[in-house]
Amino acid sequence: MLRVVSFLKLLSIILFLIILVLVYAYLPIMVALEPDAGSLQLHKETFFYYVVAGFVIVNLVMLAFQKLFEGKIENEDVKAWVRGGAFVINICLTLLVGFIGVLNNSAHLNASGFAYLNYLGPALIFSWILGLFYMIYKKA
């Protein structure tokens, strides 16, 4: 189970990088971060580097979280759950980057049709947390 979760984490990193490169290729020079017209904007390159830096920082924090708790846990399912946190967060970040790409490509895509991407991330995190409660309930 641990190998499967580690493989999924690797796939989520690759998926994030592919989506980021595709989104970056089609972004305008000034990237809007909010749907409002006069909202916060960043330069295309600044956006790219901030997203990459944020992704690396989040993954390092999740790795520290994983190393902190894995030494204290004997149950393989709970270890897999802890490692799965990085996978879930990576998918959430991928969905957010994808939505920003859709938001800034309004000539070809309607951003309101992809608003569900903003809700999938928290739903995944909620499902991940419910998985812990399920494992606890299953043991009892």
Side-chain angles (χ1 to χ4, degrees), residues 19-114:
I19 296 297
L20 180 62
V21 168
L22 284 173
V23 165
Y24 178 75
Y26 291 104
L27 285 176
I29 297 299
M30 293 305 289
V31 179
L33 300 177
E34 296 175 346
D36 301 331
S39 65
L40 178 63
Q41 293 186 345
L42 289 174
H43 192 273
K44 181 178 181 177
E45 292 176 8
T46 306
F47 170 76
F48 178 80
Y49 290 120
Y50 279 172
V51 169
V52 169
F55 185 77
V56 168
I57 289 169
V58 166
N59 276 284
L60 287 176
V61 167
M62 292 303 291
L63 183 64
F65 176 75
Q66 172 185 332
K67 295 296 181 193
L68 178 70
F69 287 106
E70 274 193 356
K72 300 174 184 176
I73 300 171
E74 285 89 28
N75 188 346
E76 186 176 323
D77 290 338
V78 177
K79 283 184 181 182
W81 179 83
V82 170
R83 283 190 187 179
F87 167 74
V88 170
I89 298 296
N90 289 345
I91 295 297
C92 293
L93 292 174
T94 303
L95 293 171
L96 287 175
V97 167
F99 182 73
I100 289 174
V102 168
L103 183 66
N104 286 282
N105 196 359
S106 59
H108 297 97
L109 300 169
N110 185 8
S112 63
F114 292 91

